[in-house]
Amino acid sequence: QVRLTESGGGSVQAGGSLRLSCAASGLWDSVAWVRQPPGKDREVVARIYISSPYYIDSVRGRFTISHDNTKRLVYLQMNSLKPEDNGLYYCAAAARWCAWDQNCYESWGQGTQVTVSP
């Protein structure tokens, strides 16, 4: 398994931006940012398989997932943030193809909190 460490969460007003970072100790085939809103289940909001990014509808056009050339750093640039983007954001990775099922991902970080105020 890969060790993952997230950073970059914080509190912003609606319309603001944050960039989350995930440092990975090893390589991966699939990586995702998974959000858990207060009192709700976790959901994959953005993911990369090999180097192709995918997004859920509610964040497409506002969030951008990317990685550096070494694939040891994974980012989530979040723009035009909304209160419904509130939650604990996890970085998750797998050494296989994974899509929107969070149970497919083998490695998880500890999470970083994002709070968006109206």
Side-chain angles (χ1 to χ4, degrees), residues 14 16 33 39 41 58 78 81 84 88 90-92 95 98 105 109:
W33 286 98
D41 291 335
S58 63
M78 304 186 294
L81 282 161
E84 50 263 45
L88 192 59
Y90 297 92
C91 179
C98 290
Y105 293 88

Side-chain angles (χ1 to χ4, degrees), residues 92-108:
R96 58 187 176 182
W97 179 83
C98 290
W100 303 109
D101 182 359
Q102 58 165 315
N103 295 312
C104 181
Y105 293 88
E106 302 155 335
S107 302
W108 290 78

Side-chain angles (χ1 to χ4, degrees), residues 37-100:
K40 297 184 179 180
D41 291 335
R42 295 189 290 193
E43 63 174 346
V44 177
V45 299
R47 62 181 181 89
I48 292 176
Y49 175 63
I50 307 298
S51 290
S52 297
Y54 302 90
Y55 305 94
I56 60 170
D57 289 345
S58 63
V59 308
R60 187 177 295 111
R62 300 188 298 120
F63 290 11
T64 302
I65 186 172
S66 62
H67 62 82
D68 72 343
N69 289 339
T70 68
K71 297 181 71 174
R72 296 298 180 93
L73 287 171
V74 180
Y75 305 102
L76 185 68
Q77 177 67 43
M78 304 186 294
N79 299 327
S80 302
L81 282 161
K82 304 176 180 180
E84 50 263 45
D85 296 318
N86 274 332
L88 192 59
Y89 282 70
Y90 297 92
C91 179
R96 58 187 176 182
W97 179 83
C98 290
W100 303 109

